[in-house]
Amino acid sequence: MDRALCIHGHFYQPPREDPWLGHILPEGSAAPSRHWNERICRESYTPMARARRLDGAGRIVELLNCYEWMSFNVGPTLLSWMARSAPETYARILEADKASLTRLGHGNALAQVYHHVILPLASQLDKELEVAWAVADFRARFGRAPEGMWLAETAVDTPTLEALAAAGIRFTILAPSQAEAVSDDGKSWQGVDAGSLDIRRPYKVPLPSGKPMAVFFYHGPLSQAVAFERLLADGEQFFRRLSGAAGQGLLSLATDGETYGHHFTFGEMALAYVLDQARSGRDGLALTNYAAFLEAEPPRRFARIREASAWSCAHGVERWRSDCGCTTGGHPGYNQKWRAPLRKALNLLKSRLDAHFFDVGKPLFVDPRKALVAYGEVMAASLAPEAFEAAHLAPKLPAAGRGTAWKLLSMQAWGLSSFASCAWFFDEISRLEPVNGLTFACRAMELARATGMADPEPEVTSILAEARSNEPEMGTGRDIWDNLVRPRRETPKTLVSQALLQLTLEDRLPPAGETAEAVWPGVAVAVRLDDPEDDARPGTARIRYSLETAVEELAVRYRPAQTADPFDGCLSLTAPGGPEEGFCLRDVGLPVNKRQSLADAFARHAEETAFAAMLSQAARARKLVTELQEAQTTINLAPLWLHLWPGLVWHDVFDLPLPEKRAALLRLFLLEAGRNSPVKAALEARLAAETARRAAEPDPDCRKLAALVKRAADLDLHPDWWAAQNALWERRPFAGCGGGMVELAKAMWFSV
Ligand SMILES: [Zn+2]
């Protein structure tokens, strides 16, 4: 197979969920998005799934699903967020793997180490879990076994490759600098470096177990050029560079997924151009993926890897445990001496958790280790909790024992989550990533204490005290623990308070005797309030964490705020057998991002309510809109009618346009007063979303939608039709609706 080309994209975000709520809290640095998953998804992962290919006139020729034509891996924790929060993009990724499987006999998707843990630094148990859980997750999503696995930071050593091989993985991808020596016969070896290594074919890596393992090495300089040399600025230039470098065998590039779109705006369009040129066979190039190439050309030569090496550290894997000098830069005076104590503290915690798991788990599980491995299938939802219990819990275990067993499993998962590599990658311990890692550790500790372990916190935090932040006011790792990590801890008090605040703010407090639920992905709080006559409403609250069987039930008395400030509400809680504890919501001390989450939930609800009310007012008002008189929009009408304008436009666009002379008033208003107006921007976003929704309906009125697009332009409104274009693209070929679909496609900038 000559002139074969494979571009690999590594799509990854560290786990960001609050480990109690299972929900990503607002991250200020991700503005204008709510958090980084949302931001990178909007800028990169989603555009990649629907990259625009344009003709010379700037009209859309195709929406290319790049994932269908490139090799890729997406981290399990990112995919589980995407399945919930970006289902369209998620569906395109699964589709892409299926389409490539049909085309090449092997799917484009690779699995990825579950929590993006640096495997050479992980214990044998953790290696096995990270790989097994990744395989389980991959099988559940893609409906097939993974053939290749992406290693976090391509960090590798022989035990890591053994762990992959033991799980049935056939290959991985490494940087050319990670090859130490090559051999034709496995006996006489020749030393190599990144410059002298022949990367055109895969190699066999001899393993002590004798199991097969193949390694591909990517093209270093070209992969670097995509990231740092503006290759994505011009698709044609990018293609020529690739074509010039291709030759015998395989040319493969390994790139970070967020390069396309996030680091480089419209980078996905340059990539789409290249993929389109290559798939059409220009210059004799043939697009393939690693597994297909492996089948066509099984490795004949051998390679020895550089033990404990990675693609993003010149010092082995020191970047994830010492002050090796590798950082992302930006803060010249900073040091990374904090990395060592952070690693040491988390290693110590995990070793304590492991001992506790096997000790307490011995009578609870048939085989604790097998149960822990199989827990990956429960997290992937391919094994029902009941089936897991039947297979792995000791027979006839009482409810308390089952509750403990599930808590132990969850404890181990959070313990592993704390090792996500990003905590060490950057230059400062008080950043979001290390704080998240420590928060996962905090959650694991809580579950450890709840299942009877001696509190590991003093020991762990005394090691953290050895870590110094580069920001003097942040102090040591222990200060960061006390000030940034511990305040995030949820208790029944904070959970029930947040649930009641949310229900109050969304007008969902239940009537007497009924139950309402505040649900986060990780935990649900069900509240029942009994006596409506009593203004300190008594009732119960039930807390249940997902993937746990234990339910915590508390008696509550809730007195909603008598003022406009919901934090003036008061609550008292009584746990079974415990004393009653009364407090005001203001004194619960929720951290800022949890308060912001509540505020956002309220703002969403309030905006929906206000918009609906305004629409009904505007429906009446539109009957009264008069013909345009001079200066009306700026003098007498503007201030008075301002809040009705979005509703008037909405009815005009979606229902019945006003006669021309009266519509002139709307247009003039939008032209004059609407320029740079946030009200207009919000209206455009709403129009775009509603149009996309209608275009995705089973039987859309295409002519009406086409008229709507035109009408919006007439009114000087310019919604982003991205989502509507995507919905329409799903319906191609553009026939149907009696020709109305062609009309709509033209209106939406398709070349038809
Ligand atoms: Zn380094």
Side-chain angles (χ1 to χ4, degrees):
M1 229 178 153
D2 286 341
R3 296 189 69 74
L5 173 66
C6 175
I7 300 178
H8 180 82
H10 165 52
F11 296 87
Y12 166 68
Q13 291 298 312
R16 301 182 178 281
E17 281 78 8
D18 177 84
W20 289 268
L21 302 180
H23 161 77
I24 305 183
L25 297 167
E27 296 173 336
S29 57
S33 298
R34 272 179 302 176
H35 51 71
W36 281 101
N37 276 24
E38 198 176 276
R39 165 121 177 237
I40 307 289
C41 198
R42 183 172 60 78
E43 293 180 349
S44 182
Y45 309 151
T46 295
M48 292 282 283
R50 284 288 175 248
R52 268 57 179 166
R53 288 209 311 108
L54 307 179
D55 66 11
R59 288 197 155 259
I60 301 169
V61 180
E62 184 190 8
L63 306 191
L64 187 86
N65 184 348
C66 295
Y67 302 103
E68 196 180 323
W69 303 94
M70 69 191 296
S71 169
F72 64 86
N73 70 278
V74 191
T77 55
L78 174 58
L79 279 175
S80 64
W81 173 82
M82 218 183 255
R84 261 198 321 270
S85 308
E88 281 290 315
T89 303
Y90 180 68
R92 299 289 89 78
I93 288 174
L94 300 189
E95 257 171 41
D97 185 64
K98 286 214 167 53
S100 56
L101 183 64
T102 305
R103 192 175 74 246
L104 299 168
H106 298 269
N108 281 346
L110 268 64
Q112 181 215 284
V113 176
Y114 196 90
H115 291 105
H116 211 260
V117 167
I118 301 297
L119 287 191
L121 296 179
S123 69
Q124 192 52 41
L125 172 69
D126 290 353
K127 282 189 183 71
E128 186 185 335
L129 292 175
E130 282 288 303
V131 174
W133 290 359
V135 170
D137 186 86
F138 188 96
R139 278 177 174 278
R141 295 182 196 283
F142 293 98
R144 65 179 180 88
E147 297 184 82
M149 186 173 289
W150 180 264
L151 294 168
E153 304 290 348
T154 79
V156 75
D157 61 1
T158 298
T160 293
L161 291 181
E162 286 282 17
L164 297 192
I169 299 295
R170 297 171 57 216
F171 69 90
T172 191
I173 306 158
L174 299 178
S177 58
Q178 291 177 273
E180 186 173 69
V182 296
S183 164
D184 287 329
D185 54 9
K187 294 184 189 102
S188 65
W189 292 87
Q190 189 186 356
V192 287
D193 59 24
S196 63
L197 177 73
D198 176 8
I199 60 153
R200 301 309 171 104
R201 320 224 174 257
Y203 292 84
K204 283 184 272 195
V205 178
L207 295 180
S209 67
K211 292 199 171 83
M213 176 54 59
V215 167
F216 287 90
F217 295 98
Y218 62 79
H219 193 289
L222 272 175
S223 303
Q224 286 284 99
V226 172
F228 302 110
E229 290 169 31
R230 299 184 54 81
L231 264 196
L232 295 177
D234 178 351
E236 175 62 20
Q237 194 215 346
F238 185 16
F239 179 82
R240 285 189 196 164
R241 284 284 293 276
L242 291 173
S243 179
Q248 282 192 327
L250 174 70
L251 170 65
S252 93
L253 273 64
T255 59
D256 251 328
E258 59 197 64
T259 312
Y260 311 100
H262 172 57
H263 291 307
F264 208 98
T265 311
F266 299 131
E268 85 284 358
M269 292 175 74
L271 177 67
Y273 176 85
V274 163
L275 294 173
D276 173 61
Q277 296 292 306
R279 78 180 165 175
S280 69
R282 179 175 161 195
D283 298 356
L285 285 179
L287 279 179
T288 188
N289 65 32
Y290 293 105
F293 191 88
L294 198 60
E295 185 186 307
E297 303 210 15
R300 274 184 241 115
R301 304 186 75 198
F302 297 83
R304 263 203 320 245
I305 53 160
R306 226 171 268 287
E307 293 291 339
S309 59
W311 75 343
S312 47
C313 174
H315 319 89
V317 291
E318 291 308 307
R319 183 167 190 160
W320 300 276
R321 66 173 170 194
S322 75
D323 186 13
C324 72
C326 292
T327 71
T328 39
H331 296 102
Y334 278 17
N335 71 68
Q336 286 74 46
K337 293 196 175 84
W338 52 269
R339 283 178 181 158
L342 180 63
R343 172 67 61 181
K344 194 169 134 199
L346 292 177
N347 275 347
L348 176 106
L349 173 63
K350 187 63 173 50
S351 69
R352 297 274 189 274
L353 298 177
D354 289 345
H356 177 63
F357 177 83
F358 287 105
D359 181 28
V360 177
K362 202 169 169 203
L364 302 178
F365 299 107
V366 178
D367 178 333
R369 189 164 181 133
K370 280 192 184 144
L372 191 50
V373 170
Y375 186 57
E377 294 170 57
V378 181
M379 290 193 293
S382 56
L383 180 63
E386 302 73 33
F388 175 88
E389 288 196 349
H392 295 284
L393 294 198
K396 300 199 178 70
L397 202 60
R402 287 166 54 224
T404 303
W406 286 107
K407 279 191 192 300
L408 287 174
L409 294 163
S410 176
M411 169 193 85
Q412 287 294 62
W414 288 117
L416 265 175
S417 203
S418 73
F419 288 112
S421 65
C422 309
W424 291 268
F425 188 81
F426 299 98
D427 57 4
E428 165 57 20
I429 188 176
S430 64
R431 273 181 65 111
L432 197 60
E433 297 82 2
V435 169
N436 277 345
L438 289 171
T439 308
F440 302 143
C442 181
R443 174 78 170 121
M445 278 183 197
E446 180 186 80
L447 289 158
R449 283 187 294 260
T451 51
M453 184 170 130
D455 189 1
E457 195 168 327
E459 213 179 356
V460 170
T461 50
S462 74
I463 301 174
L464 288 176
E466 298 165 21
R468 287 219 149 267
S469 165
N470 290 289
E471 308 279 345
E473 70 278 11
M474 287 292 174
T476 69
R478 177 151 61 194
D479 297 322
I480 288 167
W481 179 271
D482 289 340
N483 299 326
L484 299 181
V485 176
R486 288 196 66 185
R488 286 174 64 174
R489 181 189 258 157
E490 296 284 3
T491 60
K493 181 173 168 178
T494 58
L495 280 175
V496 177
S497 299
Q498 284 172 98
L500 284 167
L501 280 165
Q502 188 161 329
L503 294 174
T504 304
L505 290 169
E506 293 176 350
D507 296 324
R508 293 201 294 126
L509 271 186
E514 285 180 32
T515 300
E517 253 193 325
V519 181
W520 294 271
V523 65
V525 181
V527 180
R528 205 192 67 228
L529 298 176
D530 292 325
D531 188 355
E533 300 305 320
D534 188 341
D535 68 348
R537 301 186 62 186
T540 54
R542 291 161 59 90
I543 302 171
R544 181 168 172 173
Y545 284 99
S546 53
L547 296 190
E548 283 192 34
T549 51
V551 176
E552 206 164 344
E553 184 164 325
L554 303 107
V556 304
R557 285 193 299 132
Y558 176 47
R559 186 192 300 273
Q562 306 299 307
T563 66
D565 181 353
F567 284 90
D568 282 341
C570 290
L571 179 63
S572 79
L573 289 177
T574 317
E580 180 167 355
E581 186 195 0
F583 51 89
C584 280
L585 297 178
R586 175 167 323 287
D587 302 324
V588 173
L590 294 174
V592 61
N593 46 10
K594 293 191 178 177
R595 280 182 280 121
Q596 191 186 335
S597 234
L598 286 168
D600 289 349
F602 173 70
R604 251 192 307 281
H605 172 66
E607 203 252 1
E608 289 291 337
T609 314
F611 190 75
M614 186 269 292
L615 272 189
S616 88
Q617 299 261 31
R620 302 181 74 186
R622 70 193 298 270
K623 311 282 181 203
L624 306 172
V625 171
T626 53
E627 297 79 2
L628 175 66
Q629 311 286 310
E630 55 186 314
Q632 232 171 345
T633 53
T634 48
I635 300 169
N636 47 8
L637 282 185
L640 193 59
W641 285 61
L642 183 63
H643 79 284
L644 286 169
W645 238 274
L648 289 170
V649 170
W650 187 269
H651 287 300
D652 189 79
V653 168
F654 285 113
D655 302 329
L656 195 63
L658 287 171
E660 178 51 33
K661 276 189 175 166
R662 292 163 64 197
L665 200 56
L666 287 185
R667 188 182 313 114
L668 203 63
F669 177 82
L670 289 163
L671 273 172
E672 288 178 2
R675 194 164 290 131
N676 300 324
S677 149
V679 175
K680 185 179 169 192
L683 176 64
E684 286 171 335
R686 268 191 184 275
L687 284 173
E690 177 63 12
T691 307
R693 194 189 65 75
R694 292 186 186 209
E697 275 177 349
D699 194 13
D701 185 341
C702 296
R703 281 192 200 287
K704 184 163 182 182
L705 286 175
L708 177 161
V709 172
K710 190 175 170 303
R711 186 69 182 160
D714 286 348
L715 292 174
D716 190 39
L717 288 162
H718 305 283
D720 181 351
W721 298 120
W722 167 275
Q725 287 165 342
N726 293 353
L728 191 60
W729 181 251
E730 292 294 302
R731 298 185 171 276
R732 65 194 190 287
F734 297 132
C737 301
M741 203 176 297
V742 172
E743 204 181 312
L744 177 56
K746 275 186 187 155
M748 293 243 180
W749 286 95
F750 283 98
S751 164
V752 279

